[in-house]
Amino acid sequence: MIATLLAQAAEWTRPDIDWHGIAPELILVVGINLILLVDLWIDESKKWMIASLTGFVMLGALVPVVTLAVVGDDTRSMFFDRYVVDEYALILKALFLVIGYLIVLMSQTELEEGGYYIGEFYVLMLVSVLGMVAMASSRDLVSIFVSLELLSIPAYMMAAWRKRDVRSNEAGVKYYLLGVFASGVLLYGMSYLYGTTGSTKLTEIGSALADADGGLLAMQVIAVAFVIVGFGFKVSAVPFHTWAPDTYQGAPLPVTAFLSVASKAAGFVGLLSLLFIALYSADGVYEPFIFVLAALTMTVGNVLALRQTNIVRMLAYSSVSQGGFILMPLAVMASGDATESALKAVVIYLLIYALSNLGAFAVVMAVSRKTKSGEISSFGGLMSYAPGLGALMTIFLASLTGIPPLGIWIAKLAAFKAVVDAATGMGYTLAVIAAVNTVISAAYYMRVLREIWMKPVPDGDTSKISVPQPIWAALGICTIGTVVLGLFPGLVMRFADLPDLTGAFGG
């Protein structure tokens, strides 16, 4: 046995490592350990410093992402092309780090005032962001699954952070149980892919499926279906969305914002990598499947959102519905001329949706500090005593509706363009369904705006709302991003037109 191990060791080849390429991940790893040490040694009265330190870690990890983008157009491959840093990966790494920084700003005051364990919270959040950043570069089944679990397991604990709150406990348990089940389904599908192709590398799996004589094996069809189901849970696609409303309502608001944007985006990134690299030639299996998921997700999400009286649950179902719009281009990605436009549409949607949705949650956090309520009726008369917050909420909800010239209108336009470029009956049908759902979504967003602009203050209390500076900072960043990207859509389209965005999936 020892001789066998020595023989294998002699054949081992050291993988190439580009230290600049993995600098963002290394900075996050160092930051995680630094926060742990600081939390152990710092006095309780100075725990507020941990939030600032976490923010600097996020921004510090963003620096090499920028330098990698500026240095050149070359693609950096490591670990035998199983971990790739290209412009596609850099865009998404930057998105996850910016989201992480915004969540730090939104959570700082609530953690300090709520008596939560501050150090542990930020350690878990950094670990989750590390998983997301790794997901953007993963080009292997093993690294994708490890990244997915790395981002998910801390999120299970963060959802139950208010440990003396029954709803928070329920949120964490429900999220954990369904998450573990989805991970099992996903891993089962991945094992079938490995078993039938003999490789975990996405490009090799893609080549094996494309070269298969006589079409896909039954086990490969099952594998594709199981993989989509596994990621369907992560992106809260119907009917795998049942965890989302209860988890969003029970978790602390900063965690809810984190799950609705960062976790969802990371799920879509993993799904994108698998579909475009490994499963592209299996379009006969995944296109009808994703078509049904997209149509159900946007429709069921919108219909259920219409019935909600709690704004967090409404935003939860809104998030479900928005996921349907993001899935829509993927349902036709291998048809007609839709391949490139489908990828662009998903990336654009993830970038803009993150800013608008986080902004809406930041306003909810600010208002609930005064009203102590999450009911939509608690926003009554907001313009009369907090016109700044009322105006900002109007901007964010109008953007989520898709009203030009604010944010998401260009993302929805890109999604519609992708399904039209497919030039198929499935694409045109999905475009009609999406158009109807866009109108439906306007109803519940406008219901909130009616409360803000037209209804009286429910309790007659028109005292000013004290908004902490970190939340104002988060609101400022989200507002600037939502307005600027809506008024100047060429900025976000430039990201989607990066030369190797589709090349990322060609090798």
Side-chain angles (χ1 to χ4, degrees):
M1 180 178 178
I2 295 176
T4 303
L5 291 175
L6 290 174
Q8 291 177 345
E11 296 173 0
W12 181 77
T13 304
R14 178 182 177 276
D16 295 326
I17 299 176
D18 187 322
W19 297 106
H20 189 191
I22 62 170
E25 290 87 337
L26 292 177
I27 291 173
L28 287 173
V29 170
V30 171
I32 290 165
N33 288 280
L34 181 62
I35 299 297
L36 274 173
L37 288 173
V38 170
D39 184 53
L40 286 173
W41 294 100
I42 200 170
D43 187 73
E44 196 69 31
S45 62
K46 297 179 180 178
K47 292 285 187 180
W48 59 268
M49 295 173 58
I50 295 177
S52 301
L53 187 57
T54 306
F56 283 124
V57 171
M58 296 287 188
L59 296 178
L62 191 59
V63 172
V65 172
V66 175
T67 58
L68 285 165
V70 171
V71 164
D73 298 330
D74 58 319
T75 298
R76 300 165 184 261
S77 298
M78 290 166 274
F79 308 109
F80 310 108
D81 298 330
R82 285 173 162 81
Y83 200 81
V84 177
V85 179
D86 50 24
E87 292 182 345
Y88 164 81
L90 292 176
I91 292 169
L92 295 167
K93 288 175 191 283
L95 172 64
F96 294 133
L97 291 169
V98 169
I99 291 173
Y101 180 68
L102 289 172
I103 297 297
V104 171
L105 293 175
M106 292 167 62
S107 62
Q108 182 174 352
T109 305
E110 177 157 334
L111 290 177
E112 291 173 3
E113 295 178 352
Y116 302 122
Y117 293 105
I118 296 174
E120 291 88 337
F121 180 89
Y122 289 119
V123 166
L124 290 173
M125 195 178 75
L126 282 170
V127 172
S128 189
V129 172
L130 174 61
M132 296 171 189
V133 169
M135 177 72 81
S137 289
S138 297
R139 302 290 185 269
D140 186 274
L141 293 180
V142 175
S143 57
I144 286 177
F145 186 77
V146 170
S147 298
L148 192 65
E149 293 305 293
L150 192 61
L151 71 91
S152 297
I153 293 173
Y156 301 150
M157 291 182 276
M158 291 165 66
W161 208 246
R162 293 195 299 231
K163 64 180 183 179
R164 293 180 179 85
D165 187 329
V166 174
R167 281 188 174 179
S168 186
N169 294 335
E170 180 187 353
V173 170
K174 185 172 288 188
Y175 188 27
Y176 166 72
L177 292 176
L178 292 176
V180 169
F181 174 75
S183 294
V185 171
L186 176 63
L187 191 59
Y188 197 71
M190 287 181 169
S191 68
Y192 270 25
L193 282 177
Y194 171 69
T196 56
T197 62
S199 177
T200 59
K201 189 177 177 181
L202 298 190
T203 51
E204 293 177 0
I205 293 172
S207 298
L209 295 182
D211 296 339
D213 295 327
L216 299 180
L217 301 173
M219 289 179 67
Q220 291 170 338
V221 173
I222 295 172
V224 174
F226 276 28
V227 165
I228 295 174
V229 168
F231 278 105
F233 167 85
K234 297 300 178 184
V235 302
S236 58
V238 175
F240 315 112
H241 70 293
T242 51
W243 63 273
D246 292 336
T247 299
Y248 285 17
Q249 186 176 9
L253 275 174
V255 177
T256 300
F258 184 69
L259 295 177
S260 71
V261 175
S263 181
K264 180 185 288 288
F268 272 110
V269 170
L271 184 60
L272 277 177
S273 298
L274 278 162
L275 288 179
F276 276 88
I277 306 175
L279 308 178
Y280 187 83
S281 59
D283 53 299
V285 179
Y286 64 75
E287 281 198 342
F289 197 170
I290 296 179
F291 171 84
V292 174
L293 286 182
L296 282 176
T297 300
M298 64 177 77
T299 304
V300 173
N302 275 332
V303 171
L304 292 177
L306 285 170
R307 303 175 54 190
Q308 303 307 312
T309 59
N310 182 283
I311 194 163
V312 176
R313 289 186 73 87
M314 189 210 78
L315 288 174
Y317 283 112
S318 161
S319 177
V320 170
S321 173
Q322 298 286 356
F325 282 94
I326 303 173
L327 280 171
M328 181 169 70
L330 300 180
V332 294
M333 53 174 268
S335 303
D337 298 324
T339 300
E340 185 174 347
S341 57
L343 181 59
K344 290 179 179 179
V346 174
V347 173
I348 291 170
Y349 216 116
L350 292 176
L351 290 173
I352 301 178
Y353 168 74
L355 294 170
S356 298
N357 206 53
L358 283 179
F361 271 107
V363 174
V364 172
M365 288 182 62
V367 174
S368 63
R369 285 172 58 82
K370 172 181 178 292
T371 62
K372 308 299 181 186
S373 171
E375 295 299 304
I376 294 175
S377 58
S378 67
F379 282 75
L382 185 64
M383 285 300 298
S384 63
Y385 65 91
L389 290 175
L392 291 179
M393 192 61 159
T394 302
I395 290 173
F396 297 132
L397 293 183
S399 173
L400 291 170
T401 305
I403 298 175
L406 297 169
I408 286 184
W409 80 272
I410 187 63
K412 289 197 173 181
L413 184 63
F416 277 105
K417 180 181 182 299
V419 293
V420 171
D421 284 347
T424 62
M426 184 184 295
Y428 294 134
T429 302
L430 206 49
V432 171
I433 294 172
V436 172
N437 275 284
T438 300
V439 176
I440 295 174
S441 68
Y444 56 82
Y445 290 131
M446 294 305 148
R447 180 156 59 102
V448 180
L449 294 181
R450 184 181 63 181
E451 291 285 343
I452 292 173
W453 285 85
M454 308 173 94
K455 294 290 186 177
V457 181
D459 56 2
D461 181 8
T462 57
S463 58
K464 289 187 177 181
I465 297 176
S466 176
V467 182
Q469 290 300 318
I471 293 182
W472 271 127
L475 284 169
I477 295 171
C478 293
T479 304
I480 292 170
T482 299
V483 173
V484 170
L485 293 180
L487 291 174
F488 305 101
L491 294 174
V492 73
M493 296 301 285
R494 277 185 63 188
F495 287 116
D497 284 332
L498 290 171
D500 70 345
L501 190 59
T502 52
F505 304 111

